[in-house]
Amino acid sequence: MTRLECLVFYIMDGKNWKAAGEKMETKRQGMVVWLHSLKQSKALRKFGNVHYISRKMKYAVIYCDMNDLERHMAKLGSLPFVKRVEPSYKPFIKLEYESKLDKAKEYDYKVGF
């Protein structure tokens, strides 16, 4: 799609209008679904994007919108082939690290030792 076409076509995103070429970010969160059997693993597709299925440990990682997470977890927990459902806490973990250097090392870095 060319730039001109991107400017012509618009997509409605909630209350905000965005051009089709712009990146529309939705808040997504993962959940881990522990299964009794992998036979029904295809049924998990309707709850979100199935990212990974472990055949050995019998679990699946599914990504869905953060707004729908609680509803999907309740529905998945009630299914007979699901052992338990756990949310991913990655969106709530601070990923920007700060280094705490002591004054001697900081001085050494500035001087160039």
Side-chain angles (χ1 to χ4, degrees):
M1 186 179 286
T2 65
R3 269 192 164 167
L4 182 60
E5 291 173 351
C6 288
L7 294 173
V8 173
F9 296 109
Y10 287 93
I11 297 174
M12 179 66 173
D13 177 33
K15 295 179 182 177
N16 304 326
W17 287 90
K18 293 188 176 184
E22 293 181 24
K23 187 176 182 181
M24 294 174 47
E25 293 185 16
T26 57
K27 300 281 184 178
R28 300 180 66 74
Q29 186 174 355
M31 59 182 151
V32 179
V33 182
W34 296 91
L35 306 168
H36 287 291
S37 171
L38 292 175
K39 289 181 182 178
Q40 296 88 358
S41 61
K42 282 190 177 181
L44 299 175
R45 291 182 190 171
K46 65 181 176 181
F47 296 102
N49 294 341
V50 178
H51 181 70
Y52 179 73
I53 296 177
S54 171
R55 298 185 195 287
K56 185 177 180 182
M57 296 182 65
K58 295 184 181 177
Y59 73 90
V61 178
I62 302 173
Y63 283 93
C64 67
D65 294 338
M66 286 182 93
N67 301 334
D68 301 333
L69 184 73
E70 294 297 327
R71 185 169 47 93
H72 287 317
M73 285 179 61
K75 283 185 182 178
L76 282 167
S78 65
L79 294 175
F81 59 89
V82 174
K83 285 184 190 176
R84 68 179 187 266
V85 182
E86 300 173 357
S88 170
Y89 297 108
K90 184 178 179 185
F92 308 112
I93 296 174
K94 184 179 175 184
L95 298 176
E96 298 166 357
Y97 301 107
E98 298 175 4
S99 63
K100 302 217 177 200
L101 298 174
D102 57 339
K103 296 292 181 182
K105 285 185 180 178
E106 192 173 319
Y107 177 75
D108 290 345
Y109 287 132
K110 288 181 182 176
V111 174
F113 285 120

